[in-house]
């Protein structure tokens, strides 16, 4: 509730649902946008509407894309023998910023969790196993967060893929309890280079 | 740079320009929106576009409105004898949440600042003086932030309006260095009730 006109109140309510914004920062952000309504608010609304209409998950890897199959999966420059498994698209972006990995990805969209009733199917792990069989995959690199859930998920995937393919994981450099998306490019590069078999 | 499709990169760049969001939180917020693209992103884009098209400053008081004159200025329930002067629309909203003030407002849009070359004209102070003359105003309540710039501006306005109208300011309860928009309703109510002549 901001005591603004109802259209603006509705906007603030929606903005307050974004991660990192509470009611007060949503009011501040909305006022900032209204002050810059020609230069920022209108273009932002249009960009957001366009992305809402076109963005979707890549049917192959789960990456965010504006096509059914993402540009990484369709690129002829990416090695098809290596699949890097990440929890989240934000982690894929972090890997891409490091610019050291030349293979393709598999985005789980989370980690296994008995508490939240998230099993292998919810994470697309059967699809990963299918990709290992049907594509010419020689190595699966597990780039999961160094959290308990992340490592539980990594062990589960390693077990499933045992004897089918070489399974490695990011090793050196990922701090205990750390999350990939917080790391600098150099740390990610070092961790990938020093990857070890699970 | 997120290594997302270029439409999504453009969206993240714009979101990173909002107060309270940096590049990383903008990426997180964009991914959250894309995950909820039907239920949140699309309605948010539409609400934002609608507000960008309709929001404007009230020609009388500077409040944000979807009409030329805002609903507070046109309300027959508000006392026309009292004008409350605030720095920002966020402060007006904070006053309205306290629900204790029944008059109308004048939004300065900032404070006097020699450094930033902000003079009385940039803040609509001539318009305030004109309103005091042309409307049946009996009291101007200065509800400016308890900062150096806020108090300098309050003294300037009080000097300009001397002998024309009773000028008071919020007194008890506003902490030194504090900003109105951070205060709870009770503190604002107490400060308004204990207002004193400047
Ligand atoms: Zn893909
Ligand atoms: Zn008004």
């Amino acid at each position: 509730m901001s005591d603004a006109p109802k259209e603006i109140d509705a906007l603030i309510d929606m903005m307050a649902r974004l991660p990192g914004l509470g009611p007060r920062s949503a009011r501040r952000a909305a006022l900032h946008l209204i002050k810059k309504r020609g230069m920022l608010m209108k273009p932002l609304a249009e960009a957001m509407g366009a992305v809402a209409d076109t963005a979707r998950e890549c049917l192959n890897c789960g990456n965010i894309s504006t096509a059914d199959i993402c540009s990484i999966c369709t690129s002829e420059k990416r090695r098809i023998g290596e699949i890097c498994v990440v929890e989240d698209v934000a982690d894929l972006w972090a890997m891409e910023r490091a610019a050291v990995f030349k293979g393709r990805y598999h985005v789980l969209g989370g980690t296994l969790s008995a508490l939240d009733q998230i099993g292998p199917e919810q994470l697309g792990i059967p699809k990963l196993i299918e990709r290992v069989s049907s594509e010419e995959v020689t190595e699966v690199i597990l780039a999961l967060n160094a959290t308990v859930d992340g490592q539980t998920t990594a062990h589960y995937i390693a077990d499933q893929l045992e004897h089918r393919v070489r399974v490695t994981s990011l090793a050196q450099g990922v701090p205990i309890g750390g999350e990939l998306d917080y790391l600098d490019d150099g740390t990610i590069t070092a961790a990938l280079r020093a990857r070890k078999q699970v």
Side-chain angles (χ1 to χ4, degrees), chain A residues 27-172:
Chain A
R27 289 197 298 267
R28 289 269 163 198
L31 277 178
H32 181 81
L33 284 171
I34 291 169
K35 277 176 196 156
K36 299 189 182 297
R37 54 193 176 272
M39 291 293 287
L40 180 57
M41 190 178 205
K42 188 83 179 160
L44 177 57
E46 283 164 6
M48 203 174 274
V51 170
D53 286 336
T54 58
R56 70 198 92 168
E57 281 85 29
C58 170
L59 295 175
N60 195 47
C61 76
N63 185 17
I64 296 293
S65 173
T66 51
D68 281 342
I69 305 294
C70 78
S71 59
I72 292 176
C73 283
T74 53
S75 170
E76 296 195 350
K77 291 183 185 155
R78 309 293 297 221
R79 287 200 282 268
I80 57 165
E82 293 169 19
I83 291 183
C84 177
V85 178
V86 292
E87 288 179 26
D88 203 289
V89 174
D91 299 327
L92 184 158
W93 290 347
M95 289 292 298
E96 287 295 286
R97 284 197 298 277
V100 67
F101 177 66
K102 301 300 176 197
R104 293 172 303 148
Y105 293 93
H106 198 78
V107 180
L108 298 177
T111 51
L112 292 173
S113 167
L115 208 64
D116 298 326
Q117 297 191 295
I118 297 175
E121 291 73 25
Q122 280 76 47
L123 301 179
I125 292 177
K127 171 74 181 170
L128 172 64
I129 294 168
E130 181 203 312
R131 288 183 66 190
V132 168
S133 305
S134 63
E135 303 175 12
E136 291 166 46
V137 177
T138 55
E139 180 176 356
V140 170
I141 301 166
L142 302 174
L144 303 183
N145 291 328
T147 56
V148 172
D149 281 350
Q151 294 310 302
T152 303
T153 308
H155 283 298
Y156 177 85
I157 294 173
D159 283 348
Q160 297 297 307
L161 294 177
E162 209 180 357
H163 307 307
R164 295 179 192 230
V165 70
R166 178 175 147 88
V167 180
T168 59
S169 69
L170 295 196
Q172 195 185 16

Side-chain angles (χ1 to χ4, degrees), chain A residues 173-188:
Chain A
V174 181
I176 303 302
E179 294 188 9
L180 231 65
D181 191 28
Y182 278 94
L183 299 183
D184 62 283
D185 302 351
T187 306
I188 290 179

